[in-house]
Amino acid sequence: MQNNSIVNAATKSWLVLIVLSVIAISLSEFIDNRSLYIISALIIVVIKGQQIVDVFMELKTAPKFWRVLFLSYIALLPLIITVIYLS
Amino acid sequence: MNSSSISTALPNKARSDKKLPGDLAMWFFILAELTVFAIFFIGFAVNEQLNEVMFSQGKAQLHQTSGLINTIALITSSYFVALALSAMHRAQAKKSVLLLLTAKFFAVIYICVKVWEYTSLFDQGITIETNTFFTLYFLITAFHLMHVLLGMVILAFIAHSAWTNKYQHNDLSAFEAGTSYWHMVDLLWIILFPLIYVI
């Protein structure tokens, strides 16, 4: 039962990741403003990273320290890159 | 057991259920790898700010569709690795091996596309020495490619171990360590792809 829910969660994550990847590459079609474009692309990175960390790496059920550590990486690195690009 | 002992026992049970997949050493190794790539990514962004024209011209010479194909290939590969681990938890070792082989098939697609991408750049006379953009492009993507190749060796190793029933008594820590490494390779590409190909 628990394994079925893991498979379902992985399948949903896979779909989310594929859709977000296609959206990321199509962003330039919809957004002209460069700052907004960079922020949007990097927000997509954070969402995709969260899916991989929580679902594929199974850190959602791991000790909080490790989950927070990896989610911090996936949030802070795009934030630093955004600050560099917008400075 | 009275109600007060139940209320104190439940949080302890919940805490004990929280288990880090695989080996602790592998997670420290993954953290070290993520740190190295973070330095590369930040270095790339800083250099782009210093050489905006060169980087935008360089990015225009890259094949965005091949980047997208590689993204889909790695995400799909990671998905099959997650399914393989789930199969192992259900004691379906043979099915898990098939899923790992499928994951490796998608990794091979990634490698073929990457080799095609490098070859087409070389054909245009573009090398690692062309300019700062291509130096960083080749360094970061080739370093990532090396991780993909190492990940494929690890996947082959855990697939062989699963096929020969080496994982006994529900001890899947080595298997989980291998799958975690592969997901790290995927995680890195998720950041690399927009940074080099999209933004």
Side-chain angles (χ1 to χ4, degrees), chain B residues 138-166:
Chain B
F138 279 112
L139 268 179
I140 295 172
T141 57
F143 192 47
H144 183 264
L145 179 62
M146 283 167 58
H147 284 75
V148 173
L149 293 172
L150 176 60
M152 288 184 73
V153 172
I154 292 171
L155 290 187
F157 178 79
I158 61 173
H160 180 262
S161 299
W163 186 260
T164 51
N165 291 319
K166 294 263 170 63

Side-chain angles (χ1 to χ4, degrees), chain A residues 21-55:
Chain A
S21 301
V22 174
I23 291 173
I25 210 165
S26 318
L27 276 179
S28 60
E29 309 279 328
F30 311 110
I31 303 174
D32 290 331
N33 182 296
R34 177 149 172 83
S35 299
L36 188 60
Y37 175 64
I38 289 168
I39 292 168
S40 306
L42 290 169
I43 285 174
I44 288 176
V45 169
V46 176
I47 299 168
K48 287 167 78 177
Q50 183 268 331
Q51 290 293 313
I52 292 170
V53 166
D54 273 348
V55 183

Side-chain angles (χ1 to χ4, degrees), chain B:
Chain B
M1 188 183 279
N2 60 33
S3 60
S4 65
S5 64
I6 290 172
S7 65
T8 53
L10 281 175
N12 287 337
K13 171 78 171 65
R15 270 200 295 274
S16 66
D17 283 348
K18 285 191 174 287
K19 175 188 160 288
L20 186 67
D23 292 327
L24 187 63
M26 176 57 90
W27 287 100
F28 278 112
F29 178 65
I30 288 172
L31 275 180
E33 296 281 30
L34 291 178
T35 307
V36 172
F37 271 95
I39 293 166
F40 272 132
F41 295 150
I42 291 169
F44 184 91
V46 169
N47 271 284
E48 181 160 2
Q49 278 305 90
L50 297 173
N51 306 285
E52 276 188 49
V53 176
M54 180 205 290
F55 274 62
S56 94
Q57 285 171 349
K59 286 182 181 188
Q61 286 174 283
L62 298 181
H63 206 276
Q64 268 203 344
T65 309
S66 71
L68 180 63
I69 292 168
N70 272 347
T71 304
I72 292 170
L74 276 188
I75 288 169
T76 308
S77 179
S78 225
Y79 169 64
F80 278 106
V81 167
L83 295 187
L85 178 59
S86 177
M88 283 302 286
H89 282 302
R90 290 194 302 263
Q92 297 174 328
K94 305 295 181 208
K95 184 181 176 184
S96 178
V97 171
L98 281 176
L99 290 164
L100 285 176
L101 290 175
T102 312
K104 282 169 74 75
F105 167 75
F106 283 98
V108 169
I109 291 177
Y110 168 90
I111 291 167
C112 291
V113 171
K114 188 51 69 189
V115 168
W116 172 82
E117 201 180 326
Y118 284 164
T119 310
S120 61
L121 286 172
F122 293 149
D123 287 346
Q124 295 172 57
I126 295 168
T127 67
I128 195 166
E129 294 177 337
T130 300
N131 57 31
T132 310
F133 171 78
F134 281 107
T135 301
L136 287 171
Y137 162 79
F138 279 112
L139 268 179
I140 295 172
T141 57
F143 192 47
H144 183 264
L145 179 62
M146 283 167 58
H147 284 75
V148 173
L149 293 172
L150 176 60
M152 288 184 73
V153 172
I154 292 171
L155 290 187
F157 178 79
I158 61 173
H160 180 262
S161 299
W163 186 260
T164 51
N165 291 319
K166 294 263 170 63
Y167 300 109
Q168 301 289 335
H169 310 296
N170 276 340
D171 181 15
L172 294 176
S173 60
F175 193 97
E176 288 172 340
T179 59
S180 299
Y181 180 88
W182 189 253
H183 296 313
M184 176 207 72
V185 171
D186 188 24
L187 186 65
L188 288 170
W189 182 262
I190 292 300
I191 306 168
L192 189 158
F193 168 62
L195 188 66
I196 293 182
Y197 290 85
V198 177
I199 294 173

